[in-house]
Amino acid sequence: MRIRTLLGTATAATAALAMLTGCGASKGSNASSAQNVATSAPTSASPTTPATPATPTTPAGASAPSSGPSTSSARLAPALIQLSDLPAGFRSEGLTQRNLPSMIKGCPGLEVLQQSNIGDQAQAEWTKGALDDYVDEAIIQPQGETAASLVDKAAGALTACGAVKVTEEGLSVTLHATPLSLPQVGDASHAWHTSAKFGIASMEMNVVLIRQNDLVLLIAQTRVDGHTNDDLTLSASQAAAKRAADFQLKK
């Protein structure tokens, strides 16, 4: 699953949002599992050894995508939240091209932001199981634009559009977004609750776009065939903002 919804090796401001869709890609495979029992996403009940975000690996039993594993910035990786920041029961998920977000369509403002506004980025994902909670994070170092400007533009575009189209496991999916009331996180933050249908399955995702000093953070908390957890969304976002702040102080 992945940040599955808002922001591809994402190439832009909306890449943050696209990342949500990235999350969505693996979620899409889990949604398929609800229909076909067999799924290409890892569904082992036993915890796996946490993967290092900067050097993603293909989960045991899963076929490596033809495009190969993703590359997540080693420089920014230390700023990502850690397994210890999440409730008991979560495990790390390795990133591959399947996890990464597709380009967002159907919202002109976000499409424009996906062109060249990302200088560097790191991504990671954690889950409690195929049809349980997922948490995804993307950290973006803006390029040619300030973090404040990128966050404001992306937030304004998504709120104005209300819905975006992304590709999940080869299927065109429409994500409907509504503002989510959460306490402010970091220097500035915006949150939405999104929902989508995958055939007979459904997906809900909370998305939080955060500015922490010079970095843009994206947290996506997803649940397939279930409901999102606002408390988990907030605690993960607060942990992400703190990690990013500490990282920048050490530079």
Side-chain angles (χ1 to χ4, degrees):
M1 280 171 82
R2 344 309 156 252
I3 271 182
R4 301 155 248 250
T5 323
L6 285 172
L7 301 165
T9 13
T11 61
T14 325
L17 287 182
M19 182 168 183
L20 289 184
T21 36
C23 294
S26 11
K27 288 184 174 63
S29 62
N30 291 323
S32 297
S33 68
Q35 305 173 53
N36 305 320
V37 181
T39 175
S40 59
T43 57
S44 170
S46 59
T48 57
T49 301
T52 301
T55 55
T57 58
T58 301
S63 299
S66 58
S67 53
S70 69
T71 55
S72 183
S73 171
R75 183 181 68 84
L76 292 177
L80 290 163
I81 59 175
Q82 303 296 310
L83 195 58
S84 59
D85 295 320
L86 299 172
F90 274 89
R91 66 173 185 263
S92 298
E93 287 288 277
L95 290 180
T96 69
Q97 292 294 346
R98 291 181 62 260
N99 305 83
L100 297 174
S102 61
M103 296 294 278
I104 295 176
K105 302 294 184 182
C107 184
L110 287 181
E111 290 184 37
V112 168
L113 288 177
Q114 289 180 119
Q115 304 310 311
S116 61
N117 294 354
I118 294 181
D120 198 6
Q121 67 160 334
Q123 300 185 31
E125 178 177 65
W126 303 266
T127 182
K128 293 180 73 174
L131 296 178
D132 209 313
D133 290 317
Y134 277 77
V135 171
D136 290 86
E137 181 182 11
I139 297 179
I140 295 170
Q141 180 76 63
Q143 175 175 275
E145 183 158 18
T146 66
S149 176
L150 189 154
V151 167
D152 287 347
K153 288 179 180 179
L158 181 61
T159 298
C161 291
V164 295
K165 290 185 178 181
V166 299
T167 300
E168 300 285 351
E169 294 296 310
L171 300 176
S172 177
V173 177
T174 298
L175 292 162
H176 299 279
T178 57
L180 176 64
S181 179
L182 284 181
Q184 179 179 308
V185 179
D187 296 328
S189 62
H190 305 267
W192 302 264
H193 176 266
T194 71
S195 59
K197 287 287 186 180
F198 292 93
I200 63 173
S202 62
M203 180 186 83
E204 290 189 10
M205 182 191 299
N206 284 342
V207 178
V208 185
L209 187 59
I210 305 162
R211 176 173 64 83
Q212 184 62 59
N213 300 332
D214 297 330
L215 296 176
V216 175
L217 318 176
L218 180 67
I219 290 290
Q221 190 271 305
T222 309
R223 184 68 183 254
V224 173
D225 279 346
H227 300 294
T228 49
N229 183 327
D230 292 357
D231 290 339
L232 173 59
T233 302
L234 178 59
S235 63
S237 298
Q238 291 172 331
K242 185 177 187 308
R243 291 277 183 184
D246 291 344
F247 170 79
Q248 291 178 90
L249 284 175
K250 295 175 182 177
K251 290 194 305 180

